[in-house]
Amino acid sequence: MEAHHLLREKRTSEIEAILAKYPPERKRSAIMPLLYLAQEEYGYCSPEAMREVAEILDLDPTEVKSIVGFYTMFFEHPVGKYVIDVCDDLPCALRGADQFVSHCERKLGIRAGQTTPDGKFTLRTVMCIAACDRAPVIQVNRVYHYDMTEEAFDRLVDALANENGTGEAPNEQKQGLDVL
Amino acid sequence: MGGYYGSKNKTMEQHVLLRDVDVPNIREIDVYLAHDGYAAWRKALTTMKPDDVIAVVKDSGLRGRGGAGFPTGVKWGFIPKDVFPRYVVVNGDESEAGTFKDHQIIDGNPHQLIEGILLTCYAVQANVAYVYLRGEFYEPAKTLQRAIDEAYARGFVGKNVLGSGFDVDIHIHLGAGAYICGEETALLSSLEGQLGQPRLRPPFPAVQGLYAKPTVINNVETLANVPPIVLHGAQWYRQFGTEKSPGTKIFCVSGRVKRPGNYELPLGKYTIRELIEMAGGTIDNRPVKGVLPAGSSAPILPASALDTKLDYESLQAAGSILGSASFVILDDTVNIVWAARKMVRFFKHESCGKCTPCREGTYWGLRLYDKILSGHGTREDIDMIAEVASQMSGKCFCLLGEFATSPMLSTIKHFREEYEAFIAAHQGGRRNGYDDELIREGVIDEAGNLIVGHVGQKTAHHL
Ligand SMILES: Cc1cc2nc3c(=O)[nH]c(=O)nc-3n(C[C@H](O)[C@H](O)[C@H](O)COP(=O)(O)O)c2cc1C
Ligand code: SF4
Ligand code: FES
């Protein structure tokens, strides 16, 4: 299997389901859902991932690259297996989010914006994620965790770090996503 | 299905929108059906013409809940005759800081949204609807997708719905982290696979929207109002609210209160003070310093405005806007300079970069706040901030740039002495409680020195 056909070989039916949502002559609309799919398969929006999406949509790879660069949820560089987004926008910060981010940094031994050396965790701060009444609030690979405490964060990170040697993430923290 | 999100604050005998507060598991289709679910849809398909649906929504006086408050039925009426296909696009970008109402509707009462979408499609004779959800709504999107699938299975969505001959499909489209995509023209660009940047209006989406076709675009909460209006009628709806602001509205309360959450209330019935009381009052019962009625985008109101009624006109008369009704409460423990900087940082981060006044203005605005908050500010910097904001006013391509000026101008207007006191107390880069976040954002180094030429905070964008 050629590397740059990874998506088309492995996710054929999902690609078709995505393309079917939009008028055939407007298939460019599928760029964002396809990038999510590619990111899942390749780990990030690598040059190969973007080239493959470009080929599916008959676009120039530079156009795909500009879309990737525009949004915060497409990664232009490799990220950890678990991307932890902590909201430190004003409403959350009024309920202790800044101190909470500092704790997350200490626990993971990295600064926000960095990835742990073992490639397991990326920590980011993000703007409001529409759950301010449940602050501090985080997302781990797009899954919400509300009403966080330092203890709850430590438990979560420890569980994800160990994964009982099965390679399986606990509970709902798996990467595999449905087509949306 | 994603976990249920939402606050269960009982504020009405029977909620119109947050019916998940009254009815457990109304997110399940059978429960929804047992509580008038899809009755409006049946009623419309069997007894009403499309124009009748537009008429009842017009008569109800429903105004858009996405921020601008434009009358919904009037907007639907702008769709030109004889141009097909048409589209309905649902705005579920919900990215204004402090806003989390659509989140609860999608998670807690998804079928009412779906029914609203269907009624809108019928009203304007659109056969396809796209629901644009912010990318972070991955879990709510799964809940909504499951609900849509159920609605297809029961024949409420799809080909020849309920034997009416009307075909309608609903698709979810996930964004990927960009506040500007909540602006309707940027949203349409994003949905078309282009950069999510605003377009010139006119043409308005009703005339040339998605794929240059007539398009109705409405907020999630707006559309959740439509089924009860169609089922019970405009007069029924008008028992709630005021003449100019009819109906109920979800108020998102966050910040320094004991019970932050969503509170659905009739418009114009209560005051800001009463809303704060419903939310348990302030933490430790501290005095309120100020209130942001629409997140970062609306001018702050000082404590003297607490008796303002909660409706579009009253908030405007008080010098702010109702917007998305995301009430962020600040008490007297909050440093106004720090709070203003958070908001300016938001706009600096979210400026789409298309036009210079906004891109440069938010950049320089943030730099000035960095300077002050890190203890290097002077009194002249306050005037400079006001100057930067005034230079932006009226010159930005879209409203985001305009919004960005309000935290700067309104906090200086109401709290200038506090700026001055902070600057005086923190002369010479004296360390203060903000070191950690300023270091994290690359504003100062470990020794407290301003980092020259820093580019604002290291954010998700740098990954
Ligand atoms: C910068 C900016 C951000 C916006 N964000 C949102 C949003 O997140 N959700 C929303 O429904 N409307 C948002 N709007 C308003 C939309 O442009 C539009 O007015 C709305 O979707 C119309 O729907 P409505 O009439 O039902 O309110 C935003 C507007 C601007 C200028
Ligand atoms: S005002 Fe800001 S967000 Fe709007 S188009 Fe200009 S740069 Fe983009
Ligand atoms: S400010 Fe953190 S979720 Fe809204």
Side-chain angles (χ1 to χ4, degrees):
Chain A
M1 196 196 306
E2 276 187 64
H4 66 278
H5 285 147
L6 200 62
L7 207 54
R8 274 169 290 178
E9 304 268 346
K10 286 177 69 179
R11 312 293 287 264
T12 324
S13 60
E14 286 151 280
I15 295 172
E16 276 168 19
I18 288 171
L19 290 173
K21 290 183 179 183
Y22 311 98
E25 71 281 11
R26 299 288 186 174
K27 67 178 180 176
R28 187 185 172 123
S29 279
I31 193 164
M32 293 169 75
L34 287 179
L35 279 170
Y36 276 121
L37 208 63
Q39 180 158 282
E40 218 179 285
E41 209 49 61
Y42 287 89
Y44 72 106
C45 290
S46 64
E48 303 80 52
M50 291 192 279
R51 200 176 311 128
E52 231 198 307
V53 170
E55 278 170 23
I56 296 170
L57 298 177
D58 303 320
L59 292 173
D60 195 279
T62 56
E63 290 191 78
V64 178
K65 198 171 160 52
S66 74
I67 298 291
V68 168
F70 188 80
Y71 298 98
T72 57
M73 295 177 72
F74 297 133
F75 309 126
E76 293 179 86
H77 305 288
V79 289
K81 179 170 179 194
Y82 298 107
V83 177
I84 303 178
D85 287 346
V86 188
C87 173
D88 70 345
D89 211 347
L90 179 63
C92 277
L94 289 167
R95 306 182 74 82
D98 290 316
Q99 294 71 21
F100 182 73
V101 180
S102 297
H103 173 80
C104 300
E105 291 184 324
R106 280 194 300 275
K107 170 71 183 170
L108 294 169
I110 52 173
R111 281 281 182 192
Q114 296 178 335
T115 299
T116 53
D118 63 1
K120 202 107 194 211
F121 299 102
T122 296
L123 181 68
R124 316 193 297 174
T125 55
V126 291
M127 299 296 136
C128 181
I129 48 178
C132 333
D133 56 331
R134 310 287 297 273
V137 55
I138 70 173
Q139 287 200 319
V140 184
N141 293 352
R142 298 196 279 170
V143 172
Y144 277 109
H145 296 262
Y146 303 116
D147 305 315
M148 287 305 288
T149 59
E150 298 187 353
E151 297 71 39
F153 183 78
D154 292 355
R155 274 197 305 277
L156 178 66
V157 166
D158 291 342
L160 294 174
N162 293 325
E163 294 176 323
N164 304 320
T166 60
E168 281 284 295
N171 57 52
E172 78 281 56
Q173 220 42 275
K174 291 187 196 135
Q175 278 252 314
L177 316 173
D178 321 346
V179 184
L180 278 169
Chain B
M1 180 152 65
Y4 168 75
Y5 164 86
S7 32
K8 297 250 179 184
N9 299 314
K10 184 118 182 120
T11 48
M12 300 178 63
E13 194 65 38
Q14 277 199 316
H15 292 76
V16 177
L17 306 167
L18 298 180
R19 294 180 68 207
D20 46 318
V21 176
D22 308 326
V23 184
N25 299 318
I26 198 163
R27 72 201 314 229
E28 307 291 339
I29 193 162
D30 287 316
V31 180
Y32 185 67
L33 284 168
H35 291 84
D36 286 343
Y38 293 102
W41 188 215
R42 280 184 199 281
K43 177 182 178 183
L45 286 177
T46 52
T47 69
M48 297 169 82
K49 288 195 283 295
D51 280 345
D52 299 337
V53 178
I54 297 182
V56 70
V57 172
K58 243 184 219 167
D59 292 345
S60 76
L62 171 65
R63 298 171 63 171
R65 303 299 195 225
F70 194 82
T72 305
V74 174
K75 180 147 92 180
W76 295 0
F78 291 153
I79 295 285
K81 304 265 170 282
D82 309 324
V83 188
F84 293 91
R86 297 151 177 194
Y87 292 100
V88 167
V89 174
V90 185
N91 192 339
D93 197 56
E94 189 156 68
S95 304
E96 180 60 53
T99 314
F100 40 86
K101 61 194 179 64
D102 301 343
H103 190 176
Q104 178 161 354
I105 292 173
I106 295 164
D107 253 11
N109 194 7
H111 286 288
Q112 189 164 328
L113 170 61
I114 295 168
E115 193 175 0
I117 297 169
L118 294 169
L119 288 162
T120 311
C121 285
Y122 180 70
V124 302
Q125 291 292 292
N127 301 109
V128 181
Y130 292 99
V131 186
Y132 188 103
L133 301 180
R134 61 179 301 173
E136 294 85 350
F137 279 177
Y138 162 66
E139 287 177 284
K142 282 210 278 194
T143 304
L144 185 62
Q145 185 62 57
R146 202 190 82 153
I148 292 171
D149 293 345
E150 287 171 342
Y152 267 101
R154 305 292 177 102
F156 298 125
V157 193
K159 293 262 172 294
N160 188 23
V161 269
L162 305 173
S164 65
F166 185 64
D167 300 339
V168 57
D169 285 303
I170 303 177
H171 303 294
I172 295 176
H173 185 100
L174 278 181
Y179 167 71
I180 189 59
C181 290
E183 193 283 331
E184 58 185 24
T185 63
L187 186 154
L188 293 174
S189 298
S190 175
L191 182 51
E192 290 175 356
Q194 311 286 345
L195 285 186
Q197 291 180 320
R199 311 172 181 170
L200 212 56
R201 291 181 307 185
F204 286 92
V207 179
Q208 275 185 38
L210 184 64
Y211 308 136
K213 296 297 179 195
T215 301
V216 158
I217 174 161
N218 277 121
N219 170 259
V220 165
E221 183 187 354
T222 309
L223 295 188
N225 278 280
V226 175
I229 290 172
V230 170
L231 187 62
H232 304 299
Q235 273 329 103
W236 172 87
Y237 188 74
R238 282 183 173 277
Q239 71 178 292
F240 308 107
T242 66
E243 174 65 28
K244 286 184 173 160
S245 298
T248 65
K249 173 87 193 77
I250 304 172
F251 293 86
C252 314
V253 186
S254 67
R256 306 290 303 162
V257 290
K258 293 198 191 84
R259 284 197 306 275
N262 283 319
Y263 295 82
E264 180 178 347
L265 301 170
L267 282 160
K269 184 165 178 186
Y270 300 100
T271 62
I272 302 175
R273 192 187 301 282
E274 288 164 324
L275 180 65
I276 294 172
E277 277 161 19
M278 282 179 223
T282 52
I283 295 170
D284 297 330
N285 305 317
R286 309 287 314 186
V288 172
K289 174 177 281 184
V291 172
L292 300 156
S296 306
S297 294
I300 194 168
L301 290 174
S304 57
L306 284 182
D307 292 314
T308 307
K309 282 269 196 315
L310 299 169
D311 59 69
Y312 293 97
E313 287 70 35
S314 305
L315 263 304
Q316 198 159 5
S320 192
I321 53 167
L322 181 64
S324 48
S326 27
F327 281 74
V328 186
I329 313 300
L330 314 187
D331 64 15
D332 69 344
T333 66
V334 178
N335 170 0
I336 205 74
V337 180
W338 167 84
R341 179 182 175 278
K342 279 274 185 195
M343 294 189 268
V344 174
R345 181 187 73 146
F346 174 87
F347 289 112
K348 147 80 175 60
H349 185 261
E350 300 299 343
S351 167
C352 83
K354 182 180 174 121
C355 66
T356 316
C358 169
R359 190 182 59 237
E360 295 295 315
T362 54
Y363 174 86
W364 288 109
L366 181 60
R367 289 300 307 266
L368 287 160
Y369 277 99
D370 288 348
K371 197 175 161 211
I372 297 177
L373 198 68
S374 63
H376 298 89
T378 63
R379 290 172 67 117
E380 289 69 51
D381 291 329
I382 308 174
D383 298 319
M384 194 76 127
I385 290 171
E387 175 64 20
V388 167
S390 315
Q391 288 291 331
M392 292 169 70
S393 266
K395 298 193 188 68
C396 294
F397 187 82
C398 84
L399 276 175
L400 185 146
E402 214 59 52
F403 293 164
T405 66
S406 79
M408 305 193 239
L409 293 173
S410 71
T411 57
I412 291 176
K413 176 175 165 203
H414 294 294
F415 301 99
R416 191 184 183 102
E417 306 84 72
E418 211 184 305
Y419 275 79
E420 289 170 355
F422 182 89
I423 289 168
H426 296 271
Q427 276 307 307
R430 200 149 94 227
R431 311 301 295 265
N432 55 43
Y434 308 104
D435 292 353
D436 236 28
E437 50 188 287
L438 293 175
I439 293 171
R440 173 156 60 239
E441 295 179 17
V443 175
I444 55 172
D445 62 20
E446 303 278 343
N449 301 309
L450 258 189
I451 295 175
V452 182
H454 84 88
V455 288
Q457 74 152 16
K458 281 192 218 119
T459 59
H461 269 310
H462 298 261
L463 289 174

